[in-house]
Amino acid sequence: MVGDGSATPVLEVRGLSVRYGPALTVLRGVDLEVPAGAIVALLGPNGAGKTTLLRALTGLLPFHHGRVTGGEVLLEGDPVRRTSASALVRRGMAQVMEGRRIFAELTVEENLRAGAVTVRDRRRVVAVMGETFEMFPQLAGRRGDQAGYLSGGEQQMLAIGRALMSSPKLLLLDEPSLGLAPRITEQIAERIRVVGAAGTTVLLVEQNAAMALAIAETAYVLQAGQVAMSGPAAVLRDDSDVQRLYLGDG
Ligand code: ATP
């Protein structure tokens, strides 16, 4: 379900510019909108600035010697450009970073519980864990297993499941298909679709444009730090430039 255009978007990025160090400008005036309940894809080649945008959204730029030099980020209409990373998590932003950083020594269930540390109500934790296992049946059968022994695809599902344990308003996914075989990527895509259908708003950062355009309603293409194209995913899928540059049809 996409917003009807009148509701406040969960995320709005307006004219965002980001710099690393004294002089390396990486994002230039980026505009982007994620309506409530939507899956929005952010595509672009290596080095376009996708991860940098996520860092700017989650308040993690200072840890990478970067800073926002212009523009604003609105979370449910509230400016959060200067909000700390921990406060953004409390306000409902959850990120699955590139590379599936699960706790390898812990069990699947312990990993999920770790995603719910901010949730005080224990009954709620049990309920959300049940919902997470419903969304990821493959994890349910492995709940007592050490996470390090899961396959790459299962670890990605666990990383997403762990982020969902805090019932986020906005789930940010950084290249969930990275390093996974096409068949496993399809499974991950299907699970993200299920997560979106259950009501979570998703910003999906992907180099795999075919995968992202198959499950997103709207997409943005970032090139050299600027939005080069944006629109309904179905329109971008049919765009000859997108096909030539990103879908390997050229
Ligand atoms: P990829 O798909 O390879 O992850 P990306 O689109 O996510 O690429 P970024 O990682 O955001 O791109 O990088 C954008 C640019 O910023 C690149 O030129 C990169 O070298 C540079 N960059 C990233 N992090 C830093 C940093 N901490 N300090 C300086 N430059 C950086």
Side-chain angles (χ1 to χ4, degrees):
M1 181 183 64
V2 187
D4 62 7
S6 58
T8 306
V10 169
L11 177 75
E12 218 180 327
V13 176
R14 288 189 194 151
L16 196 73
S17 296
V18 168
R19 190 189 287 169
Y20 287 113
L24 181 64
T25 297
V26 170
L27 295 183
R28 294 176 185 82
V30 171
D31 292 317
L32 179 147
E33 204 176 289
V34 185
I39 298 178
V40 171
L42 178 65
L43 313 172
N46 264 323
K50 305 181 297 298
T51 298
T52 298
L53 180 62
L54 287 186
R55 286 174 183 160
L57 299 180
T58 53
L60 293 175
L61 266 182
F63 299 102
H64 299 272
H65 308 287
R67 69 188 179 93
V68 173
T69 52
E72 189 50 270
V73 177
L74 302 164
L75 186 62
E76 295 189 306
D78 294 331
V80 293
R81 175 180 154 180
R82 292 179 175 80
T83 304
S84 70
S86 55
L88 286 167
V89 171
R90 286 196 297 277
R91 292 199 47 174
M93 249 195 214
Q95 184 184 8
V96 178
M97 294 197 193
E98 201 176 272
R100 309 187 273 281
R101 295 179 208 177
I102 46 119
F103 300 115
E105 308 287 314
L106 301 184
T107 66
V108 165
E109 192 167 323
E110 286 164 345
N111 267 275
L112 293 179
R113 283 191 192 285
V117 282
T118 56
V119 185
R120 292 249 177 85
D121 181 347
R122 303 325 290 169
R123 277 173 310 182
R124 174 138 188 85
V125 174
V126 172
V128 179
M129 191 174 299
E131 289 167 16
T132 303
F133 281 136
E134 268 172 37
M135 279 189 264
F136 298 96
Q138 275 165 284
L139 295 180
R142 311 287 306 266
R143 60 197 299 156
D145 293 353
Q146 202 175 317
Y149 293 125
L150 298 179
S151 69
E154 288 164 345
Q155 289 190 14
Q156 182 63 66
M157 290 180 200
L158 180 56
I160 297 172
R162 190 178 61 186
L164 288 174
M165 288 299 295
S166 60
S167 305
K169 284 181 187 138
L170 177 64
L171 179 64
L172 305 166
L173 300 177
D174 196 358
E175 306 222 14
S177 78
L178 193 74
L180 298 178
R183 191 175 56 83
I184 309 300
T185 295
E186 268 174 40
Q187 290 178 11
I188 297 293
E190 188 48 39
R191 290 304 97 195
I192 296 170
R193 206 197 299 263
V194 168
V195 167
T200 303
T201 304
V202 178
L203 178 61
L204 168 64
V205 172
E206 261 299 336
Q207 275 197 52
N208 184 335
M211 179 271 224
L213 290 174
I215 60 173
E217 285 101 21
T218 316
Y220 293 79
V221 179
L222 205 58
Q223 266 170 6
Q226 290 179 306
V227 175
M229 272 179 272
S230 66
V235 173
L236 289 188
R237 266 200 305 269
D238 291 338
D239 183 281
S240 57
D241 283 342
V242 173
Q243 289 182 354
R244 185 170 47 82
L245 293 169
Y246 300 108
L247 297 175
D249 294 350

